[in-house]
Amino acid sequence: MIKTAIVGASGYTGLELVKLISNHPEASLEAVTSNSYQGKSFTDIFPSMRGFESLICTSFDAKALSGKVDVVFLALPHKVSMAFAPELIDQGIKVIDLSADFRFDDAKAYEAVYQPHTALNLLEESVYGLCELNREQIRNARIIGNPGCYPTSILMPLVPLLKEKLIFPQGLISDSKSGVSGAGRSLSLTTHFCEVNESFGPYKVGNHRHTPEINEVLTKAAGETVSLTFVPHLVPVIRGMVSTIYAQICEGVDEKQIRNALNKWYKNEPFIRILPPDKFPNMSHIKGTNCCDIGFYLEAESGRLILVSAIDNLLKGAAGQAVQNMNIMFSIDEKAGLDWVQTPL
Amino acid sequence: MIKTAIVGASGYTGLELVKLISNHPEASLEAVTSNSYQGKSFTDIFPSMRGFESLICTSFDAKALSGKVDVVFLALPHKVSMAFAPELIDQGIKVIDLSADFRFDDAKAYEAVYQPHTALNLLEESVYGLCELNREQIRNARIIGNPGCYPTSILMPLVPLLKEKLIFPQGLISDSKSGVSGAGRSLSLTTHFCEVNESFGPYKVGNHRHTPEINEVLTKAAGETVSLTFVPHLVPVIRGMVSTIYAQICEGVDEKQIRNALNKWYKNEPFIRILPPDKFPNMSHIKGTNCCDIGFYLEAESGRLILVSAIDNLLKGAAGQAVQNMNIMFSIDEKAGLDWVQTPL
Amino acid sequence: MIKTAIVGASGYTGLELVKLISNHPEASLEAVTSNSYQGKSFTDIFPSMRGFESLICTSFDAKALSGKVDVVFLALPHKVSMAFAPELIDQGIKVIDLSADFRFDDAKAYEAVYQPHTALNLLEESVYGLCELNREQIRNARIIGNPGCYPTSILMPLVPLLKEKLIFPQGLISDSKSGVSGAGRSLSLTTHFCEVNESFGPYKVGNHRHTPEINEVLTKAAGETVSLTFVPHLVPVIRGMVSTIYAQICEGVDEKQIRNALNKWYKNEPFIRILPPDKFPNMSHIKGTNCCDIGFYLEAESGRLILVSAIDNLLKGAAGQAVQNMNIMFSIDEKAGLDWVQTPL
Amino acid sequence: MIKTAIVGASGYTGLELVKLISNHPEASLEAVTSNSYQGKSFTDIFPSMRGFESLICTSFDAKALSGKVDVVFLALPHKVSMAFAPELIDQGIKVIDLSADFRFDDAKAYEAVYQPHTALNLLEESVYGLCELNREQIRNARIIGNPGCYPTSILMPLVPLLKEKLIFPQGLISDSKSGVSGAGRSLSLTTHFCEVNESFGPYKVGNHRHTPEINEVLTKAAGETVSLTFVPHLVPVIRGMVSTIYAQICEGVDEKQIRNALNKWYKNEPFIRILPPDKFPNMSHIKGTNCCDIGFYLEAESGRLILVSAIDNLLKGAAGQAVQNMNIMFSIDEKAGLDWVQTPL
């Protein structure tokens, strides 16, 4: 039994982690912490979580967790994570961080969009937790930077095609769409029901903080500098993410080569589903699962490749991938706790 | 041209008032005030209001409005209204107040659910602005207490039937359902998209502040004390309100008498629509209009009458009825600015 | 391992059954049939069901199922079920029927709202599958009439209170609200997105076919004829059901007695949750679970009891209760396959 | 007073036309026809249209309309329109056709995606009714091919920039998103509430019939063959359309030139709103209006221009533009009947 704690459990990612660990056959939940809801029960925080009345949020105390847990999930805002992680590592506790603090290889890239990094050694040591692509390094990691939701949806289809030299690294575009839970549970006009329902539009055009995270991984995959054009949009649904990605194929590449490459990389991956020709991903197909669906269409005349990926932003895009990372780190079945048939309609 | 100002224009009711007055053929908008958005343009506050960049919110100043406007709409929280209204009346400006502050006849009933009343003289003078029922008094009023949305939806069908002695005043129940805009634009977990969407349930069971407002009017209509059982529910739609009301008919009353009574009271009313047998109101039928739809079914064996009413909570339930009150007070066509064919699908 | 087949698997209830059985630790899915989708894979019918490409719908053939399955779920329209059930019983296969065909004790009550019954012997033998209330009879049944969703939500709170003589059997009202999946997957203007979204209203006022089903059970519980006033409404959500029920308490009954009675009946029931004072059920709290939440408020002055119940119409209101019935019939843990922590947000 | 008739009034576009003409100060509605609802009142067809009980749908009869109406709106399926239009023109009645039948210059382009054209003379005569770009020809036209919704949203921002030689004609991409009403009122699983709500995804990737319509106009504007990559997506809202368009700027072009060009073309257009820097269109901002909002961002390093446009698919994308065309054809104020302040929240 893997003993876990969830730090910052009162947000939507924290909620998903609590549910996933509660359903997990080989992990137990030893503690949940929340700054704003200290002393409150989980049912008080989330009325839908009836049955969790005795799960009480405490304050964060790395020493108190020492010896009690094997791994801690940090579901905290950027900056707070890098203050907490070192103490946990010092206690011999593994860390899976869901903020941006440990996702970058290049501290300068992080600092350009966030703030000065205060745990540079750990940043250097940390592994980017894109499970299917970095599995071997994850296996031995003490600290994981769990990928952002947008990066996951964009990197899954693009990395193999760049590595296999089937598409040009230049001119890539991702037109991405996210459900509202991606904005978190904190209050803002942008998540007010009357402002979101029956609406749709782009936001943060030209300056979303996920862009450098994506570019760092794409650049490594391509072996040359990649600068993706990224436009996120908000969809009036609770959960789900779709990225429609436009790329130019390299000379002579055909549909079959694209399909072969994706199959080669993902055929045996339990959570990656390459859709048959003429089928395309949809938020409703992956909602409530840890899957990433990928479909594509090649415009023969123009050489334009249209890739579409879909994930549940809270699962494969956050809590689900975090648990998958835990499964890899502790050498148990990677699908444990993640392989039910989805419940929503 | 009736010159108007809207005080507290940055909420949803204020927004509707700005739109209604802007479309009104015989009224002009001279000023809008907002405490929280002073100095901001209306387009900054509501991005959908492109074209209103030059409409700037000022702070409230009764003297500055003197001589400049004929009537002021107060779209303010309870308690703030009763502080502002006396100054306006002193300047010879008529007041249509959309808070609860001037809705009650009985100051004690008000004070039991709100707070001590600080403008008792005005409260005594004020007229309850349920247009179809109090038209004559509205005509000569200096100050109107504009009815709440729930009371409007419940009183419209019940008052005539109580007055005509067709239903028992005891044992009345209203199971009411409101869209989310009724909760206003201020931030709260209860209006967060992810908490509201795909949800439905009752709230404030047993203690909603609209109950005493409803009971006061019903008691007057019945000539004896009425105590309605009222259960409000939240529906995941932006706007609309439906009340399903249960009453017991008096001995010997039949369906025809019910229909005749409703027709007698409302047949010539442009905004009240009595539906034919077997047709029932729906939020989508009145959205964007100032109408109140009423349908009913009489369970012959049990003598149970099921009345269903629907209004747009922001129009007939707030801003629309306020403009209708203005039209009556200034002796212009009661339908002016309110009689378009609805735009939404 | 309990071997099962699902007949009529291409509707929403069929889909839920396929998911529940696929996740069930002690049951296997041996066959699915569909009249309209014969020869099609389950993934073709439901694109969200990727991974079920090899589950092919066949036509119904009772003999072919003989010896192959222990129990069959009939997710068929009324009338079709009573044609199929006898053949299955003849083959020694247990039947859990989700239509109305085997829910009634009184064939005349059935025939008054449906059609002539063609399997009267089986109707007499069949057990009404309201698990918590009829557990002992279910245990030994060969054929179960699985309750309707509205009846389940209304009977769970009312039956104990009637049996304990705490409320009057007369004057009961249920104002019920259902998500759209209750209308099924067949095409109709009433389930067209543009007609349902941003709408809300009652339907089938005065003549919903679930009323006689409810009254039959209530009458038995009360020991006298009960005639509930029932008004269903459609809510623009996919799944969920809330019933707000109004009853008059018997002389001298207080809140504590109501709570004690509900606790006495349901305290040890894993799927029935009696909410603490001031907490009320919500569709979003039970979505994706087999739970029935019950909350209540007693209006002391009027003696009016307000009961609120919530279920997932497709689970406790259909497929979930059907699996719970199967678990009871086969003497396995009643929670098997139904006790995960809900997935939706 | 312009006398109008609406042929095919029972779909969503027909409904919008009925509402627009009913609200129009200088047009009257003389007849509505519907094949499927002949003899039915408009209120029977659309329950929200209370007050239209006496508007009865007749069958189409060009001769009966002769002398009675000045202009007919054809809100019919492709193919049916080209059968009806010639008879009307023969009777001296002007025609505004909302199908694709009269949108193309090149009959072969039409026939490649639809069917053989049976009114080639009229096709040659017809004017493409993109009001802001073809106003002079519209003024004198007898027959208008009213543009599709996707084409309108894409052509409005692109045509000026191509004409001004500020962007490359090659490599254009439009990632477009539409509300569900675009699919019409006929029944289909793809518009079933439970399949659409809480879903999002692309459809008809690589073969949407609007692509040739778009390319024909772009090609003319650019003076060379343009082949846009077009991917439509379905958003779970009733109405609205957003196109996010990606183009490469010509050497040396800067943001100011883009803004100047858009202002030059659209500054005095009442229905085209060029948003200020850092502001982007949203479906909720144009819902219920005839406006087209356009915002943009220039990625300086890559020379990638991101254009975002939004329209109401049923108004500027269909019925609204049709009425605007009528206003132009009959030399009345182009804004007549279209210039209210939007009603929805």
Side-chain angles (χ1 to χ4, degrees):
Chain A
M1 219 58 174
I2 308 164
K3 291 184 195 142
T4 75
I6 298 163
V7 172
S10 59
Y12 289 139
T13 304
L15 169 61
E16 292 303 303
L17 283 166
V18 167
K19 291 193 280 187
L20 289 173
I21 297 298
S22 300
N23 284 325
H24 199 291
E26 301 182 50
S28 65
L29 184 57
E30 303 299 325
V32 291
T33 84
S34 162
N35 208 25
S36 24
Y37 290 95
Q38 241 178 79
K40 291 261 184 185
S41 87
F42 214 66
T43 310
D44 284 341
I45 306 174
F46 294 103
S48 67
M49 292 297 278
R50 203 146 291 284
F52 287 73
E53 286 81 359
S54 60
L55 183 66
I56 307 294
C57 285
T58 61
S59 66
F60 176 74
D61 179 347
K63 290 213 177 93
L65 294 173
S66 179
K68 237 182 99 189
V69 306
D70 303 307
V71 62
V72 163
F73 296 95
L74 298 180
L76 296 168
H78 313 307
K79 193 176 190 176
V80 185
S81 272
M82 65 185 165
F84 285 17
E87 297 181 62
L88 292 162
I89 294 291
D90 284 352
Q91 303 292 341
I93 300 171
K94 295 188 177 188
V95 170
I96 298 171
D97 176 36
L98 289 96
S99 85
D101 286 356
F102 296 98
R103 290 178 191 159
F104 283 73
D105 269 3
D106 179 2
K108 287 202 196 85
Y110 173 88
E111 295 183 338
V113 281
Y114 295 94
Q115 61 265 311
H117 205 292
T118 61
L120 289 167
N121 284 350
L122 269 189
L123 176 61
E124 207 180 313
E125 179 186 337
S126 71
V127 172
Y128 190 64
L130 204 55
C131 303
E132 286 76 11
L133 302 178
N134 293 339
R135 188 172 281 127
E136 290 318 307
Q137 294 152 271
I138 292 164
R139 219 182 282 287
N140 303 304
R142 291 198 304 172
I143 177 163
I144 296 287
N146 206 63
C149 46
Y150 282 123
T152 298
S153 74
I154 296 168
L155 296 171
M156 296 312 293
L158 281 183
V159 166
L161 301 181
L162 284 171
K163 287 244 185 189
E164 302 284 339
K165 307 281 180 207
L166 297 175
I167 57 173
F168 278 108
Q170 304 313 321
L172 295 172
I173 295 170
S174 182
D175 190 290
S176 297
K177 300 90 178 176
S178 173
V180 181
S181 60
R185 207 189 192 205
S186 45
L187 301 179
S188 140
L189 254 188
T190 58
T191 57
H192 190 299
F193 181 83
C194 298
E195 310 282 323
V196 173
N197 200 37
E198 295 294 292
S199 88
F200 178 88
Y203 65 101
K204 290 195 189 161
V205 181
N207 69 350
H208 195 287
R209 296 199 294 190
H210 278 173
T211 316
E213 179 184 337
I214 299 164
N215 283 336
E216 187 177 84
V217 181
L218 291 180
T219 295
K220 223 193 292 180
E224 60 178 282
T225 303
V226 176
S227 177
L228 177 96
T229 295
F230 171 57
V231 182
H233 301 72
L234 191 65
V235 187
V237 302
I238 297 177
R239 54 204 293 164
M241 174 167 283
V242 164
S243 286
T244 311
I245 302 164
Y246 302 89
Q248 204 63 29
I249 50 169
C250 296
E251 178 105 28
V253 169
D254 62 17
E255 199 189 312
K256 206 173 155 188
Q257 284 169 280
I258 302 289
R259 184 163 296 279
N260 286 345
L262 292 172
N263 281 336
K264 171 182 154 195
W265 281 63
Y266 294 133
K267 206 184 176 171
N268 298 316
E269 289 295 345
F271 297 120
I272 314 296
R273 307 189 295 197
I274 306 302
L275 304 197
D278 295 327
K279 300 286 180 194
F280 291 90
N282 190 293
M283 285 189 189
S284 64
H285 300 175
I286 46 71
K287 189 170 56 167
T289 78
N290 193 48
C291 290
C292 175
D293 279 6
I294 300 174
F296 70 92
Y297 177 80
L298 179 58
E299 240 179 41
E301 336 75 72
S302 66
R304 175 91 67 200
L305 178 66
I306 302 162
L307 289 155
V308 185
S309 67
I311 59 170
D312 184 318
N313 59 306
L314 294 175
L315 292 174
K316 186 62 179 172
Q321 184 149 251
V323 169
Q324 192 181 351
N325 273 311
M326 177 192 79
N327 292 348
I328 298 173
M329 290 163 93
F330 289 85
S331 302
I332 63 171
D333 179 1
E334 196 169 324
K335 302 188 300 299
L338 296 168
D339 60 348
W340 64 89
V341 176
Q342 66 168 143
T343 308
L345 199 58
Chain B
M1 220 56 175
I2 308 164
K3 292 182 194 143
T4 75
I6 298 162
V7 171
S10 58
Y12 289 139
T13 304
L15 169 60
E16 292 303 304
L17 283 166
V18 167
K19 291 193 280 187
L20 289 173
I21 297 298
S22 300
N23 283 325
H24 198 290
E26 303 182 50
S28 67
L29 184 57
E30 303 299 325
V32 291
T33 83
S34 162
N35 207 26
S36 26
Y37 291 95
Q38 242 178 76
K40 290 263 185 184
S41 88
F42 214 65
T43 311
D44 283 343
I45 306 173
F46 293 104
S48 67
M49 292 296 279
R50 203 145 292 285
F52 286 75
E53 286 80 0
S54 60
L55 183 66
I56 306 293
C57 286
T58 61
S59 65
F60 175 74
D61 179 348
K63 291 214 178 92
L65 295 173
S66 180
K68 237 182 99 187
V69 305
D70 303 307
V71 60
V72 162
F73 295 95
L74 298 180
L76 295 167
H78 314 307
K79 193 175 193 177
V80 185
S81 272
M82 63 185 167
F84 284 16
E87 298 181 62
L88 291 163
I89 294 291
D90 285 351
Q91 303 291 340
I93 300 171
K94 295 189 178 188
V95 170
I96 298 171
D97 176 36
L98 290 97
S99 85
D101 286 358
F102 295 99
R103 289 179 191 159
F104 283 74
D105 271 1
D106 179 1
K108 287 201 196 88
Y110 173 88
E111 295 183 337
V113 281
Y114 295 95
Q115 61 267 311
H117 205 291
T118 61
L120 289 168
N121 285 351
L122 269 190
L123 176 60
E124 208 181 311
E125 179 186 336
S126 71
V127 172
Y128 190 63
L130 204 56
C131 304
E132 285 75 12
L133 302 179
N134 294 338
R135 189 173 282 127
E136 291 318 307
Q137 294 152 269
I138 293 164
R139 220 180 282 287
N140 303 304
R142 291 197 304 171
I143 177 162
I144 296 287
N146 205 62
C149 47
Y150 282 122
T152 298
S153 75
I154 295 169
L155 296 172
M156 295 313 292
L158 281 183
V159 166
L161 301 181
L162 284 171
K163 287 245 186 187
E164 304 282 339
K165 307 281 180 206
L166 297 175
I167 56 172
F168 278 109
Q170 304 312 321
L172 295 171
I173 296 169
S174 183
D175 190 291
S176 297
K177 300 88 178 175
S178 173
V180 181
S181 58
R185 207 188 193 205
S186 46
L187 302 179
S188 140
L189 252 189
T190 58
T191 56
H192 190 298
F193 181 85
C194 298
E195 310 281 323
V196 173
N197 200 39
E198 295 294 291
S199 88
F200 178 88
Y203 66 99
K204 289 197 191 159
V205 181
N207 68 351
H208 195 285
R209 296 199 294 189
H210 277 175
T211 317
E213 180 184 337
I214 299 163
N215 283 336
E216 188 177 84
V217 182
L218 291 181
T219 294
K220 224 192 294 180
E224 60 177 285
T225 303
V226 176
S227 177
L228 176 97
T229 295
F230 171 56
V231 182
H233 301 72
L234 191 66
V235 187
V237 303
I238 296 178
R239 55 203 294 163
M241 174 166 284
V242 164
S243 286
T244 310
I245 302 166
Y246 302 90
Q248 203 64 26
I249 51 168
C250 296
E251 179 105 28
V253 169
D254 63 15
E255 197 188 315
K256 209 175 154 186
Q257 284 169 281
I258 302 289
R259 184 164 296 279
N260 286 345
L262 292 172
N263 281 337
K264 172 181 153 193
W265 281 63
Y266 294 132
K267 205 184 179 171
N268 298 315
E269 290 295 345
F271 297 121
I272 314 298
R273 307 188 295 197
I274 307 302
L275 304 197
D278 294 330
K279 300 286 179 191
F280 290 91
N282 191 292
M283 285 188 189
S284 64
H285 299 175
I286 45 73
K287 190 170 53 166
T289 80
N290 194 48
C291 291
C292 174
D293 280 7
I294 300 174
F296 70 92
Y297 177 81
L298 179 59
E299 242 179 39
E301 336 75 72
S302 66
R304 175 91 67 202
L305 178 65
I306 302 162
L307 289 155
V308 185
S309 67
I311 59 170
D312 184 319
N313 59 307
L314 292 176
L315 293 174
K316 186 62 179 171
Q321 184 150 251
V323 169
Q324 192 181 350
N325 274 312
M326 179 191 79
N327 291 349
I328 298 173
M329 291 163 92
F330 289 86
S331 303
I332 62 169
D333 179 2
E334 196 169 323
K335 304 188 299 298
L338 296 168
D339 60 346
W340 64 88
V341 176
Q342 66 168 142
T343 309
L345 195 61
Chain C
M1 220 57 175
I2 308 164
K3 290 182 195 144
T4 75
I6 298 164
V7 171
S10 59
Y12 289 140
T13 304
L15 170 60
E16 291 304 302
L17 283 167
V18 167
K19 291 193 279 188
L20 289 173
I21 298 297
S22 300
N23 283 324
H24 199 291
E26 303 181 50
S28 66
L29 183 58
E30 302 299 325
V32 291
T33 84
S34 161
N35 207 27
S36 24
Y37 291 96
Q38 243 178 78
K40 290 263 183 184
S41 88
F42 214 65
T43 310
D44 282 342
I45 306 173
F46 295 104
S48 66
M49 293 295 280
R50 202 143 293 285
F52 286 74
E53 287 81 0
S54 60
L55 183 66
I56 306 294
C57 286
T58 61
S59 65
F60 176 75
D61 180 348
K63 290 213 180 93
L65 294 173
S66 178
K68 236 182 101 188
V69 305
D70 303 306
V71 61
V72 163
F73 296 95
L74 298 180
L76 296 167
H78 313 305
K79 192 174 192 178
V80 185
S81 273
M82 63 185 168
F84 285 16
E87 299 180 64
L88 291 163
I89 294 291
D90 285 351
Q91 303 292 339
I93 299 171
K94 296 188 178 187
V95 170
I96 297 172
D97 176 35
L98 290 96
S99 84
D101 286 358
F102 295 99
R103 290 179 191 159
F104 283 73
D105 268 3
D106 178 3
K108 287 201 196 87
Y110 173 88
E111 294 182 339
V113 281
Y114 295 94
Q115 62 266 310
H117 205 290
T118 61
L120 289 167
N121 284 352
L122 268 190
L123 176 60
E124 206 181 314
E125 178 186 339
S126 72
V127 173
Y128 189 63
L130 204 55
C131 303
E132 286 76 10
L133 302 178
N134 293 339
R135 188 174 282 126
E136 290 318 307
Q137 295 151 270
I138 294 164
R139 220 182 282 287
N140 304 305
R142 289 197 304 172
I143 177 162
I144 295 287
N146 206 61
C149 47
Y150 282 121
T152 298
S153 75
I154 294 170
L155 296 172
M156 296 312 294
L158 281 183
V159 166
L161 301 181
L162 284 171
K163 287 243 185 189
E164 303 282 339
K165 308 281 182 207
L166 296 175
I167 57 172
F168 277 109
Q170 304 312 322
L172 295 171
I173 295 169
S174 182
D175 190 291
S176 297
K177 299 90 179 175
S178 173
V180 181
S181 59
R185 206 188 192 205
S186 45
L187 301 179
S188 142
L189 253 189
T190 58
T191 56
H192 190 298
F193 181 84
C194 298
E195 310 282 323
V196 172
N197 201 37
E198 294 295 291
S199 89
F200 178 88
Y203 67 97
K204 291 197 188 159
V205 181
N207 69 350
H208 195 286
R209 296 201 293 190
H210 278 174
T211 316
E213 179 184 338
I214 300 164
N215 283 336
E216 187 178 85
V217 182
L218 291 180
T219 294
K220 222 192 294 180
E224 59 178 285
T225 303
V226 176
S227 177
L228 177 95
T229 295
F230 171 56
V231 182
H233 301 72
L234 191 66
V235 187
V237 302
I238 297 178
R239 55 205 291 164
M241 174 166 284
V242 163
S243 286
T244 311
I245 302 164
Y246 302 89
Q248 203 63 29
I249 51 169
C250 296
E251 178 103 27
V253 168
D254 63 16
E255 199 188 313
K256 208 175 153 186
Q257 284 168 280
I258 303 290
R259 183 164 297 280
N260 285 346
L262 292 172
N263 281 336
K264 173 182 153 193
W265 281 63
Y266 294 133
K267 206 183 176 171
N268 298 314
E269 289 295 345
F271 297 119
I272 315 296
R273 307 188 296 198
I274 308 302
L275 304 198
D278 295 327
K279 300 288 180 192
F280 291 90
N282 191 292
M283 284 189 189
S284 64
H285 300 174
I286 45 71
K287 190 170 55 167
T289 79
N290 194 46
C291 291
C292 175
D293 280 6
I294 300 174
F296 71 92
Y297 177 81
L298 179 59
E299 242 179 38
E301 334 77 69
S302 66
R304 176 91 68 203
L305 178 66
I306 302 161
L307 288 155
V308 185
S309 67
I311 59 171
D312 184 318
N313 58 307
L314 293 176
L315 293 174
K316 186 61 179 172
Q321 186 151 250
V323 168
Q324 192 182 350
N325 274 311
M326 176 190 81
N327 292 347
I328 298 173
M329 291 163 92
F330 289 85
S331 303
I332 63 169
D333 179 3
E334 196 169 323
K335 303 189 299 299
L338 297 168
D339 60 347
W340 64 88
V341 176
Q342 66 168 144
T343 308
L345 196 57
Chain D
M1 219 56 174
I2 309 164
K3 292 184 196 141
T4 75
I6 298 163
V7 172
S10 59
Y12 290 138
T13 304
L15 169 61
E16 292 304 302
L17 284 167
V18 167
K19 291 193 280 186
L20 289 173
I21 297 298
S22 300
N23 284 323
H24 198 290
E26 304 182 49
S28 66
L29 184 57
E30 304 299 325
V32 292
T33 84
S34 163
N35 207 27
S36 24
Y37 291 95
Q38 242 179 77
K40 291 261 185 186
S41 88
F42 214 64
T43 310
D44 282 342
I45 306 174
F46 294 104
S48 67
M49 292 296 280
R50 202 145 293 283
F52 286 74
E53 286 80 1
S54 60
L55 183 66
I56 307 294
C57 285
T58 60
S59 65
F60 176 74
D61 179 348
K63 289 212 179 95
L65 294 173
S66 181
K68 236 182 100 188
V69 305
D70 304 307
V71 62
V72 162
F73 296 95
L74 298 180
L76 296 167
H78 314 304
K79 192 175 192 177
V80 184
S81 272
M82 63 186 169
F84 285 16
E87 298 181 63
L88 292 163
I89 293 290
D90 284 351
Q91 304 291 341
I93 299 171
K94 296 189 177 187
V95 170
I96 299 172
D97 176 37
L98 289 97
S99 84
D101 286 357
F102 296 98
R103 290 180 191 158
F104 283 73
D105 270 3
D106 179 2
K108 287 202 196 85
Y110 173 88
E111 295 182 339
V113 281
Y114 296 94
Q115 62 267 309
H117 205 290
T118 61
L120 288 168
N121 285 351
L122 270 189
L123 176 62
E124 207 180 313
E125 179 187 337
S126 72
V127 172
Y128 189 64
L130 204 55
C131 304
E132 286 75 11
L133 302 178
N134 293 339
R135 188 174 281 126
E136 290 320 306
Q137 295 151 270
I138 293 165
R139 220 180 281 287
N140 304 305
R142 289 198 303 171
I143 177 161
I144 296 288
N146 206 62
C149 47
Y150 282 122
T152 299
S153 75
I154 295 169
L155 296 171
M156 295 312 292
L158 281 183
V159 166
L161 301 181
L162 283 171
K163 287 245 185 187
E164 303 284 339
K165 308 281 182 206
L166 296 175
I167 56 173
F168 278 108
Q170 304 312 323
L172 295 171
I173 295 169
S174 182
D175 190 289
S176 296
K177 299 89 178 176
S178 173
V180 181
S181 59
R185 206 189 192 205
S186 45
L187 301 179
S188 139
L189 252 189
T190 58
T191 57
H192 190 299
F193 181 84
C194 299
E195 310 282 322
V196 172
N197 200 38
E198 295 294 291
S199 88
F200 178 90
Y203 66 99
K204 290 197 188 158
V205 181
N207 68 349
H208 194 284
R209 296 199 294 188
H210 278 173
T211 316
E213 179 184 338
I214 299 164
N215 283 335
E216 187 178 84
V217 182
L218 291 180
T219 294
K220 223 193 294 180
E224 61 177 283
T225 303
V226 176
S227 177
L228 177 95
T229 295
F230 171 56
V231 182
H233 301 72
L234 190 66
V235 187
V237 303
I238 296 177
R239 54 204 291 163
M241 176 166 282
V242 163
S243 286
T244 310
I245 302 165
Y246 302 90
Q248 203 64 27
I249 50 169
C250 296
E251 178 105 26
V253 168
D254 62 17
E255 198 189 313
K256 208 175 154 185
Q257 285 169 279
I258 303 289
R259 184 164 296 279
N260 286 346
L262 292 172
N263 281 336
K264 172 181 154 194
W265 281 62
Y266 294 133
K267 205 183 179 172
N268 297 316
E269 289 295 346
F271 297 120
I272 315 297
R273 307 189 294 199
I274 307 302
L275 304 197
D278 295 329
K279 301 286 180 192
F280 290 91
N282 190 293
M283 285 188 188
S284 64
H285 299 176
I286 45 72
K287 190 171 54 168
T289 80
N290 194 47
C291 290
C292 175
D293 280 5
I294 300 174
F296 70 92
Y297 176 82
L298 179 57
E299 241 179 39
E301 336 74 71
S302 65
R304 175 92 67 201
L305 178 66
I306 302 161
L307 289 155
V308 186
S309 68
I311 59 170
D312 184 319
N313 58 307
L314 293 176
L315 292 174
K316 186 63 178 170
Q321 185 149 252
V323 169
Q324 192 181 351
N325 273 311
M326 178 191 79
N327 291 348
I328 298 173
M329 291 163 92
F330 289 85
S331 302
I332 63 170
D333 179 3
E334 196 168 324
K335 303 188 299 299
L338 297 168
D339 60 348
W340 64 88
V341 176
Q342 66 168 144
T343 308
L345 195 61

